[in-house]
Every structure is written in C-alpha cells, then in structure tokens.
Amino acid sequence: MTYYKIMVNRQRMWMLFLLAISVLGWGFTDYVAIFAGLILGQVVGFFNLYLLQKKINVVGEKAANNQAAKSLGALSRFAGAILLVVVVLRFPEYFHLIAAIVGLMTPYIVIMIDFIFHHKETTTTKRGE
C-alpha cells in the first residue's frame, strides 16, 4: 500500500472516530442542537475530505503520466459548505451554527494534526537510518 493510501485511511479513521464521539455526545448529553450541528458539519466535512482526496489522487496519477490535470474541485466543496449553512439557518432549532462550522473545519484540523505527527515520525525514522 502506498504512503498516500495509508495517510488517507488514517485520516478517514480519525474522522469516523470523531463523528462517533459526536454521535455519543448527541445521544447522551443535553446539548442536542450543538452536537447535531457538529454532526452535520462533520458529515459535510467528511464528504469534502473524500472529494479532496479523490481529486488529489487523480491529479497525482495525471502528473505521473505527464498529462494535464483539472482543478481540485473547490466549487463542489464550497457548494457543500453553502448547503450546510442553508440547512442550519433554515432549521436553527435543531442545529447550532457555530458547531456546524467547527464540524465543517474538522477534516482540515485532522489533516494538520496527521501531518504533524507523521512528519515527526518520518524525521525520526530518517535520522535513525
């Protein structure tokens, strides 16, 4: 398995773990609207992460074959974020806006933390060789 596939699987695992924690918070606490917004944001963020990883894989394969690549699909990710805000603003009694935006940003935090931990791991491995 390539390094990229391992990284993708690790990031998806962390997103599913955080989503499960949010579902537990929604089910067992009194902060239903906050956790519902967080869950909705994380679901849209997870979908955006999936789209981004798929597009990066396609662009990488095209670059390896010296072919021209299209964009990374920012428009579809923006549309998902806009749809999230529209749903939250349409149903404010069920979803918390700030929590939904935090949930939407969760994949990017996961990417940064994964990079920091893996970068630290690879630099210590290279020094030991």
Side-chain angles (χ1 to χ4, degrees), residues 15 18-19 22 33-49 77 80-81 83-85 87-88 94-108:
M15 281 301 300
L18 292 173
L19 189 60
S22 297
I34 292 175
F35 279 106
L38 195 60
I39 290 168
L40 185 63
Q42 286 177 344
V43 167
V44 173
F46 189 58
F47 180 69
N48 285 347
L49 178 69
R77 294 194 312 274
L83 179 64
L84 169 76
V85 171
V87 168
V88 170
Y94 299 113
F95 302 107
H96 190 265
L97 178 64
I98 304 298
I101 293 172
V102 168
L104 183 65
M105 295 298 114
T106 303
Y108 302 105

Side-chain angles (χ1 to χ4, degrees), residues 29-71:
T29 65
D30 294 333
Y31 305 107
V32 176
I34 292 175
F35 279 106
L38 195 60
I39 290 168
L40 185 63
Q42 286 177 344
V43 167
V44 173
F46 189 58
F47 180 69
N48 285 347
L49 178 69
Y50 169 75
L51 288 177
L52 181 65
Q53 290 170 340
K54 191 172 90 169
K55 288 286 189 172
I56 288 174
N57 193 23
V58 169
V59 168
E61 288 176 2
K62 294 218 180 223
N65 295 329
N66 291 328
Q67 297 175 343
K70 293 183 181 180
S71 71

Side-chain angles (χ1 to χ4, degrees), residues 73-126:
L75 186 63
S76 59
R77 294 194 312 274
F78 289 155
I82 291 169
L83 179 64
L84 169 76
V85 171
V86 167
V87 168
V88 170
L89 291 177
R90 176 68 176 95
F91 301 105
E93 63 273 6
Y94 299 113
F95 302 107
H96 190 265
L97 178 64
I98 304 298
I101 293 172
V102 168
L104 183 65
M105 295 298 114
T106 303
Y108 302 105
I109 296 168
V110 166
I111 289 170
M112 287 187 280
I113 291 172
D114 181 62
F115 172 75
I116 290 168
F117 283 128
H118 185 67
H119 181 69
K120 181 180 175 184
E121 179 182 299
T122 56
T123 55
T124 56
T125 305
K126 288 181 181 177

